[in-house]
Amino acid sequence: MRRRFLSLALVFCTLSLLTLPACAAEKRTESSSVPEDIRTADTTMAFTDIDDNAWYAEAVRFCSEQGIMGGTTNTTFSPDASMTRAMLAAVLYRMAGSSSVTAGTDFTDATGGAWYSDAVSWASGSGILSGYGNGLFGVDDPVTREQAAAVLWRYAGSPESDTTGEAFADGASISTWAVPAVNWAKANGILNGKTGNRFDPKAELTRGETAVLLHRYLSRDSVDAPPLSEQVLVISVGGRDFTALLEDNAAARALAERLPLTVTMDELNGNEKFHYFQENFPTTPERPGTIQAGDLMLYGSDCLVLFYESFASSYSYTRLGRIADPARLAEAVGGGTVEVTFRMQTQESVWDTHAEPKTLVAYFSATGTTRPLAEYAANFLDADLY
């Protein structure tokens, strides 16, 4: 378990505001400089160079609204411009929650304090996007299609690749190290081929293409798995069971695949319990504005958070689910470190456990003469007879 440190600035905020944002609050810092490619990454898209009918328009809007990608200027997105390695590091860093980075970078071509500095440090440190091995990261170098597939594949946790589909006509030109990633991207419909069933692995990835592949990745659903909204998550803590419905997204599905699971969760801020995983989860971060007691969320790409109090927050999280009735959750989790078990349960078994009350018709007679009337009433009410 990695240690969590509060900066002096956040300690000051604690004393002055009497509150702290949730999970890993000490990790969140806001840069004073605006990244070059997120100047308009708010909740609206107003790029003058994006036609509403363009094949990438919906994806650009999605990435803009999610705060993942912004414009190259306040009014332009530059969809046909090449995606650079620094830009790709930045968008993945935002997808992962933009946690603060304490370690610097030793890359000779990466300027300290630049808009991409934290992202490059995070990407290289996590092994998602490393340098060239000679002290260079290649911040301004364009990303190729096979490189993009490999980077996103590593971000997703290097899942198994499906090799049963039709091979690309130019498959022999795909670098060996990229083959599993390209197979995965194709099988999941994230990065498809071009005309003539060509993948064109060495072609430079454009910003428009990047928006599309990120949109596909974050919006994809498993065809085989049932919707998570139809399954029930049981959270056991402090001798009590709480039922929750999971979101139907990639992060919640990744959590469900790891269950049953028992973890030790630490206390933070008097409103949440958190646990760090050793692996990264896929993320679709958003700013909820208000945290509700019973919310189960992912901070960054590896921090599981269970909130037991409601409060306002400006931080970004990926929603995992929410406890249906959190009334006694705070009492169950207590004020310190606690052991929590997560397991999936079928809808049917939940209904059996929490069956609706059954009407009971009781009758009292020494001779049994009132029984026919009682039986009639029980049958009419679909009740049990006693």
Side-chain angles (χ1 to χ4, degrees):
M1 171 67 66
R2 75 186 84 144
R3 292 183 176 275
R4 294 154 56 88
F5 295 93
L6 289 172
S7 66
L8 291 177
L10 285 174
V11 172
F12 174 78
C13 290
T14 305
L15 296 175
S16 60
L17 299 178
L18 301 180
T19 185
L20 270 177
C23 184
E26 78 291 349
K27 295 171 63 179
R28 300 280 291 139
T29 58
E30 295 295 335
S31 173
S32 59
S33 60
V34 180
E36 182 177 86
D37 64 325
I38 194 169
R39 288 175 178 155
T40 57
D42 50 24
T43 58
T44 60
M45 183 186 75
F47 301 123
T48 59
D49 58 348
I50 300 296
D51 188 292
D52 288 342
N53 297 319
W55 58 273
Y56 46 70
E58 181 183 356
V60 170
R61 183 181 300 277
F62 172 85
C63 290
S64 175
E65 291 175 346
Q66 295 296 318
I68 298 170
M69 293 185 73
T72 51
T73 71
N74 288 334
T75 58
T76 59
F77 185 82
S78 304
D80 297 323
S82 295
M83 190 73 177
T84 67
R85 287 167 58 84
M87 288 180 183
L88 185 57
V91 297
L92 293 178
Y93 178 54
R94 293 176 202 127
M95 283 170 54
S98 301
S99 56
S100 64
V101 179
T102 56
T105 176
D106 295 328
F107 297 116
T108 57
D109 61 340
T111 304
W115 60 266
Y116 54 74
S117 296
D118 284 354
V120 167
S121 296
W122 168 83
S124 60
S126 62
I128 292 174
L129 181 56
S130 302
Y132 292 140
N134 57 355
L136 297 175
F137 183 82
V139 291
D140 295 323
D141 291 352
V143 177
T144 66
R145 286 168 56 83
E146 67 177 5
Q147 288 173 346
V151 171
L152 193 58
W153 177 66
R154 287 193 288 268
Y155 176 85
S158 303
E160 292 292 329
S161 302
D162 185 357
T163 59
T164 59
E166 180 184 3
F168 285 114
D170 57 349
S173 63
I174 300 173
S175 300
T176 303
W177 50 265
V179 169
V182 171
N183 289 337
W184 167 79
K186 181 183 180 183
N188 287 276
I190 296 171
L191 190 55
N192 300 320
K194 297 184 176 182
T195 303
N197 191 32
R198 296 181 306 106
F199 183 72
D200 202 6
K202 306 301 190 291
E204 296 178 6
L205 191 75
T206 67
R207 287 173 52 82
E209 288 175 323
T210 302
V212 171
L213 74 89
L214 293 178
H215 185 207
R216 289 172 178 167
Y217 171 74
L218 294 173
S219 303
R220 76 195 192 286
D221 291 318
S222 173
V223 176
D224 298 327
L228 289 181
S229 59
E230 297 179 4
Q231 301 182 53
V232 174
L233 172 68
V234 178
I235 303 175
S236 301
V237 57
R240 294 191 177 94
D241 288 346
F242 299 88
T243 57
L245 289 180
L246 287 177
E247 297 287 330
D248 198 9
N249 60 29
R253 197 175 300 284
L255 175 65
E257 290 174 352
R258 290 164 171 78
L259 303 184
L261 178 69
T262 299
V263 298
T264 299
M265 304 193 77
D266 293 325
E267 165 68 25
L268 183 68
N269 296 340
N271 53 38
E272 70 182 67
K273 304 295 182 181
F274 72 93
H275 171 78
Y276 275 107
F277 290 105
Q278 294 183 345
E279 67 274 20
N280 291 323
F281 284 68
T283 61
T284 51
E286 61 180 67
R287 294 181 176 89
T290 299
I291 300 294
Q292 300 292 341
D295 281 345
L296 183 67
M297 301 204 189
L298 187 70
Y299 176 79
S301 60
D302 59 354
C303 184
L304 179 68
V305 193
L306 177 61
F307 295 98
Y308 59 87
E309 298 288 352
S310 300
F311 62 98
S313 174
S314 61
Y315 280 41
S316 295
Y317 301 91
T318 296
R319 293 185 180 275
L320 295 174
R322 188 171 188 275
I323 292 176
D325 182 9
R328 305 188 69 180
L329 180 60
E331 178 184 349
V333 298
T337 299
V338 65
E339 190 173 87
V340 184
T341 297
F342 300 86
R343 69 182 189 277
M344 298 303 296
Q345 190 168 321
T346 62
Q347 292 275 15
E348 290 77 7
S349 61
V350 172
W351 306 147
D352 290 342
T353 303
H354 303 87
E356 294 184 2
K358 184 76 171 180
T359 303
L360 182 68
V361 173
Y363 77 98
F364 302 90
S365 173
T367 62
T369 55
T370 58
R371 182 179 178 88
L373 179 60
E375 289 177 339
Y376 175 83
N379 182 63
F380 181 80
L381 296 172
D382 189 25
D384 290 334
L385 182 64
Y386 176 74

